[in-house]
Amino acid sequence: MPILTHLWILPLLPLLGAAANGIFGGRWPKSAVTAVALSSTTLLFLATLEAVREFFTLPAEQIPWIKSYFTWIAAAGFRADFAVQVDQLTVIMLLVVTGVGWLIHIYSSGYMHDDPGYRRFFSYLNLFMFFMLLLVLAANYLVMFVGWEGVGLCSYLLIGFFFLKKSATNAGNKAFWVNRIGDFGFILGVLLILRTFGSLDFATVLPRAAAMAADPAGQIGTLTAIALLLFVGAAGKSAQLPLYVWLPDAMEGPTPVSALIHAATMVTAGVYMVARSHAIFLNAPVAMQVVAVIGCVTALFAATIGLVQTDIKKVLAYSTVSQLGYMFLACGVGAFTSGVFHLMTHAFFKGLLFLAAGSVIHAMGGEQDMRKMGGLRKKIPWTFWTMFMGTLAIAGTPGFSGFFSKDEILEATQRVSTPLWALGLLTAGFTSFYMFRLLFLTFFGEQRFDEHHVHVHESPKNMLAPLVVLAILAVGGGWMAAPHLWGGVNYFEHFLAPVFSTASEATTAVAESSGGAAEIVQGLFGAPVIVGLLGFLLAWWLYIRSPQTPKKIAQSLSTPYKLLSGKYFVDELYAAVIVRPLVWISDKVLWHVVDEGVIDGAVNGVADVSRETGDRLRYASTGNIRTYAAWILMGAVVFTSLLLWMKG
């Protein structure tokens, strides 16, 4: 049975796994829950590989492959089908989501083994895979929106997984509400697309948008309004300024959740949506500038916060926000291929880094403060070497996956805006510094924990195996672009070229460069590599060569240090300006005045009047027949008089 013809099988597999464990898992042993969760994702990955194989056999005129299963909505000339599609961009996203998701499911079977919510965890994780696949496979904005909202729901459930912890429930609520703000913009953008094009199908909307005249520079036309509204949704889902605040707090969820949802898949949904809608953005110059600037500023902003964080997961969380900013920077300068390339390589090395951090936390009995670690290199060698590979990749070390994707983004940015390139370059240096700082504090130096209380041990094989696979991908996942260094073809860009054929690839046509020895030298010893090396050397000096210096610097630069360690006090600012005023209005005005005073007052007032009236009228019921007769006679007289008056 051809998978491409029956693409519904892909999202159905994890949905069945979620339903089986969610409904029946309570009566099953843990081994059965594990078997259901892992078999569903294993079959999903194998089915995805078969679908990709079939895709490569399609003739060019049949791409994108679109399959409609039934009409979902039909009203007043509008029709939206439950339809899915596969093109080159879909293939990349499918392989990332199912491949990395499968590895994280395997890892979770070891990491969450002793958790009492084991069944619930895997039910949520499978459900997330279902919605993410729906988002990626969607052939129109309506199906995409269902997946979009679904991954938001699962994110809320998984962030607040440890619901007995107030911090976890607060983090889940925070993620939910911040994402609702972004989703409101996304909904408005989709409605404006419907009004403008009369359809929500990608196959209809995107070619028409590409054929429209671009909005004048500096003006906000229809396409610019659509693009900006879509970007509001993307900023919420992919944690960009000013809607980034939910993602660092999302580290309250289990570490596998951080690896899957908040590093490899869900947070990249905004980048994917912008890349999918590239035809709209390319004809909206103002929106492109906004995307580039917001992405660049977010990348630098989050990187500076990551410089001083002491929680190992918080460092990686702000790193994720920063790397997502890089992806939007690429999209904003028209280098959509480079943005998607970095999305893929980031899924490899950031998923690896989060899982390796989880292995460290597992070894340390739940400890996440890097100041209480140190000297773990020889105690957990597999975790160390795999995390070392991930660190080299995110730092942009030549030959590793992050080197190729980050270099492409900076190269494309340099051709469009020198200031943005300079800020992106500075961010690359900061990234190298805080990642090697994490590595040195965790694995090198003196042991800063008591072995009598912490029994450090290497993780089990079902946790280490995914680390090894992701480490291999972190090293070699970018080599599809390597031939460009010596004047060859960038195979990743060549593969995605049909999707972004409407894009102005003048800014990203790296495959057309002359190449040769000069190109290789520039790539291996260019500015990004130099700043990465400087970040490594500075981290080595401060945390290996002179470990007392960071404390002295923090004391001498107390104000900047407090600003960075306090995360610029953005959460406190939001609480003072937005949260507390809204809570006060809700409490003092909407509750006590409107609800209790007006609504309850009206209802209770009617009840009081009815009760008082009935209380007074009851005195008329005396039980005396002569009194009743008198009332009847009086009523007859009044009624007769009224009739005579009306007749007169």
Side-chain angles (χ1 to χ4, degrees):
M1 180 176 64
I3 298 296
L4 278 180
T5 308
H6 302 84
L7 280 171
W8 52 268
I9 292 175
L10 298 184
L12 179 65
L13 287 170
L15 181 61
L16 290 176
N21 276 332
I23 297 172
F24 307 109
R27 296 189 292 271
W28 292 346
K30 188 170 292 184
S31 58
V33 173
T34 305
V36 169
L38 295 189
S39 61
S40 65
T41 50
T42 302
L43 290 173
L44 169 61
F45 183 56
L46 293 175
T48 299
L49 292 178
E50 172 58 21
V52 171
R53 187 198 65 79
E54 294 173 10
F55 173 81
F56 281 112
T57 65
L58 293 176
E61 60 270 15
Q62 292 187 19
I63 300 175
W65 174 270
I66 301 175
K67 183 69 176 178
S68 175
Y69 293 105
F70 57 86
T71 299
W72 187 3
I73 299 175
F78 168 70
R79 170 176 168 166
D81 292 349
F82 184 86
V84 297
Q85 76 169 39
V86 178
D87 61 5
Q88 291 83 353
L89 179 57
T90 312
V91 166
I92 298 297
M93 294 299 296
L94 279 177
L95 290 174
V96 169
V97 171
T98 60
V100 176
W102 175 54
L103 292 173
I104 293 174
H105 273 73
I106 296 173
Y107 177 94
S108 300
S109 65
Y111 189 87
M112 300 294 294
H113 185 268
D114 298 324
D115 193 279
Y118 189 80
R119 172 186 65 89
R120 180 166 53 91
F121 176 82
F122 274 111
S123 182
Y124 291 167
L125 214 59
N126 278 175
L127 186 64
F128 167 80
M129 293 287 285
F130 163 73
F131 282 118
M132 190 68 195
L133 287 169
L134 208 60
L135 190 157
V136 169
L137 287 168
N140 57 60
Y141 283 101
L142 191 60
V143 177
M144 175 185 274
F145 183 73
V146 173
W148 186 277
E149 289 298 296
V151 295
L153 167 65
C154 294
S155 177
Y156 164 76
L157 295 173
L158 287 164
I159 293 170
F161 180 78
F162 300 119
F163 55 84
L164 295 179
K165 289 175 57 180
K166 183 172 176 56
S167 58
T169 57
N170 287 344
N173 291 333
K174 189 175 185 179
F176 182 85
W177 285 112
V178 173
N179 273 274
R180 295 293 73 72
I181 296 171
D183 293 351
F184 180 67
F186 187 35
I187 293 172
L188 293 180
V190 170
L191 291 176
L192 191 52
I193 288 174
L194 178 60
R195 179 181 179 184
T196 304
F197 300 101
S199 174
L200 295 178
D201 295 335
F202 298 146
T204 301
V205 172
L206 300 182
R208 290 183 184 177
M212 291 176 65
D215 289 341
Q219 296 185 21
I220 299 180
T222 302
L223 290 179
T224 301
I226 292 172
L228 290 175
L229 288 170
L230 293 180
F231 181 62
V232 171
K237 195 68 70 183
S238 295
Q240 298 296 286
L241 285 170
L243 302 179
Y244 75 97
V245 291
W246 68 270
L247 195 147
D249 288 3
M251 298 304 108
E252 290 288 342
T255 301
V257 172
S258 305
L260 178 64
I261 295 183
H262 307 122
T265 53
M266 189 196 97
V267 292
T268 60
V271 180
Y272 168 73
M273 186 266 287
V274 170
R276 175 63 72 192
S277 309
H278 66 279
I280 297 174
F281 281 83
L282 284 169
N283 283 334
V286 172
M288 291 288 281
Q289 292 173 3
V290 170
V291 172
V293 171
I294 292 293
C296 185
V297 173
T298 301
L300 180 62
F301 177 86
T304 57
I305 297 176
L307 295 175
V308 299
Q309 296 302 304
T310 56
D311 185 309
I312 190 171
K313 286 179 65 177
K314 281 293 179 69
V315 175
L316 296 177
Y318 282 104
S319 173
T320 297
V321 176
S322 180
Q323 297 302 307
L324 289 167
Y326 260 117
M327 299 175 206
F328 281 111
L329 172 60
C331 293
V333 299
F336 294 99
T337 300
S338 300
V340 175
F341 191 21
H342 197 58
L343 182 156
M344 182 187 74
T345 60
H346 177 262
F348 298 152
F349 59 69
K350 187 54 67 63
L352 168 62
L353 289 168
F354 265 113
L355 294 186
S359 184
V360 171
I361 296 168
H362 179 268
M364 293 292 296
E367 182 59 65
Q368 296 183 197
D369 192 335
M370 297 183 295
R371 295 171 298 183
K372 299 178 182 179
M373 298 179 186
L376 295 176
R377 178 165 46 99
K378 295 181 180 179
K379 297 181 181 295
I380 46 175
W382 284 93
T383 301
F384 164 70
W385 284 108
T386 52
M387 196 166 200
F388 184 45
M389 296 296 104
T391 301
L392 291 174
I394 194 174
T397 306
F400 288 76
S401 60
F403 162 75
F404 296 102
S405 57
K406 189 180 294 185
D407 189 68
E408 281 191 15
I409 293 174
L410 291 174
E411 186 179 346
T413 304
Q414 187 177 18
R415 286 191 289 267
V416 175
S417 171
T418 301
L420 292 181
W421 171 79
L423 294 178
L425 196 63
L426 181 61
T427 302
F430 287 162
T431 302
S432 177
F433 172 80
Y434 66 65
M435 284 309 306
F436 280 106
R437 170 180 175 266
L438 180 152
L439 195 75
F440 294 148
L441 282 174
T442 303
F443 294 100
F444 291 82
E446 296 181 356
Q447 182 176 301
R448 298 184 296 277
F449 57 89
D450 186 355
E451 280 194 285
H452 295 291
H453 295 89
V454 180
H455 176 59
V456 179
H457 56 287
E458 187 63 277
S459 298
K461 292 180 180 179
N462 55 348
M463 291 175 63
L464 293 179
L467 293 182
V468 173
V469 175
L470 287 172
I472 294 172
L473 292 172
V475 174
W479 275 84
M480 287 181 288
H484 159 63
L485 289 177
W486 47 83
V489 177
N490 182 332
Y491 289 105
F492 189 87
E493 181 181 352
H494 179 73
F495 178 68
L496 285 179
V499 178
F500 300 119
S501 58
T502 57
S504 177
E505 292 294 335
T507 60
T508 59
V510 294
E512 299 178 4
S513 58
S514 59
E519 190 83 18
I520 296 174
V521 171
Q522 183 180 356
L524 297 180
F525 302 101
V529 176
I530 292 174
V531 297
L533 179 60
L534 291 175
F536 160 74
L537 292 175
L538 182 59
W540 174 82
W541 178 267
L542 292 177
Y543 295 97
I544 299 296
R545 186 73 175 84
S546 181
Q548 300 303 319
T549 303
K551 185 179 293 185
K552 296 178 181 177
I553 294 176
Q555 291 173 350
S556 61
L557 300 174
S558 59
T559 300
Y561 180 80
K562 289 179 181 178
L563 187 64
L564 294 179
S565 61
K567 297 161 286 190
Y568 293 104
F569 302 102
V570 173
D571 286 301
E572 290 78 4
L573 177 64
Y574 283 3
V577 176
I578 300 174
V579 177
R580 283 199 288 270
L582 285 177
V583 171
W584 185 89
I585 292 172
S586 300
D587 181 26
K588 303 299 182 183
V589 179
L590 297 180
W591 178 16
H592 291 301
V593 176
V594 177
D595 191 15
E596 291 183 341
V598 178
I599 299 176
D600 288 352
V603 174
N604 294 335
V606 171
D608 291 340
V609 170
S610 300
R611 184 174 60 251
E612 184 68 22
T613 303
D615 187 59
R616 293 183 179 278
L617 289 176
R618 70 186 178 87
Y619 292 109
S621 301
T622 62
N624 190 315
I625 295 177
R626 286 181 296 179
T627 302
Y628 293 160
W631 281 112
I632 293 172
L633 179 62
M634 185 182 299
V637 171
V638 171
F639 184 68
T640 303
S641 301
L642 180 63
L643 288 177
L644 293 174
W645 176 78
M646 292 177 63
K647 183 178 180 180

